[in-house]
Structures are given as C-alpha cells and as structure tokens.
Amino acid sequence: MPHFFYILFSKSANRFYTGSCADLEKRLIRHNAGATISTKHGRPWEMVYFQEFKSKTEALKRENYVKKMKSRVYIQGLVESNKKP
C-alpha cells in the first residue's frame, strides 16, 4: 500500500505543516476538522505538496528529513517546484 509525505499550508496562520499518511484525502479532512492538535488553530489547511512512496518507512524518512531541515525556505522551494506553469 502506498504512503505519502505531504505539506499543508494555512493562509490564516501563514504556516506550513508536514506529515505522512496512507490516505491524503482522509488526512486533510481530519486536519480541517480539528482532530490534530498541532493543526487545530490554522484551519482551513490546503494540501500544497505531496510525494508518494512504496512504504510507510520511506514516507516517514522523507518527513523526518524535511523536518530536520527546519527551513521555511526549503519547504517553500518544494512547494514551488510542484506548481504547474
């Protein structure tokens, strides 16, 4: 079963959130329902980037790598590289 690394953006909080999951649609619904403490106050959240991986382990490795970068500029670069011209 595929797993995903994703980046959300909150316009109201002007912040990004990174995570990983097996079902992007359900996960976004949970974030926007306030079911996740760390994203409860930034609603609504928008999915701005995702990558698919073959395993949960690979998705978690990617999530941890991006979080270790601790860089908004790095995350913005990922999001911008994903946008269509």
Side-chain angles (χ1 to χ4, degrees), residues 8-17 41-46:
L8 304 179
F9 182 72
S10 165
K11 289 181 184 176
S12 64
N14 189 29
R15 73 179 256 239
F16 291 99
Y17 175 85
H41 299 291
R43 295 177 287 171
W45 291 90
E46 176 186 356

Side-chain angles (χ1 to χ4, degrees), residues 33-74:
T36 304
I37 293 171
S38 58
T39 58
K40 188 173 184 175
H41 299 291
R43 295 177 287 171
W45 291 90
E46 176 186 356
M47 183 80 58
V48 292
Y49 180 89
F50 69 88
Q51 285 180 280
E52 183 175 339
F53 293 90
K54 292 180 183 177
S55 71
K56 181 178 182 176
T57 301
E58 290 176 306
L60 285 170
K61 282 182 182 178
R62 180 63 170 152
E63 177 185 356
N64 288 332
Y65 175 80
V66 172
K67 285 182 176 180
K68 283 180 185 176
M69 296 300 287
K70 296 185 184 217
S71 170
R72 182 181 177 100
V73 173
Y74 181 79

Side-chain angles (χ1 to χ4, degrees), residues 30 51 82:
R30 286 183 50 82
Q51 285 180 280
N82 194 45

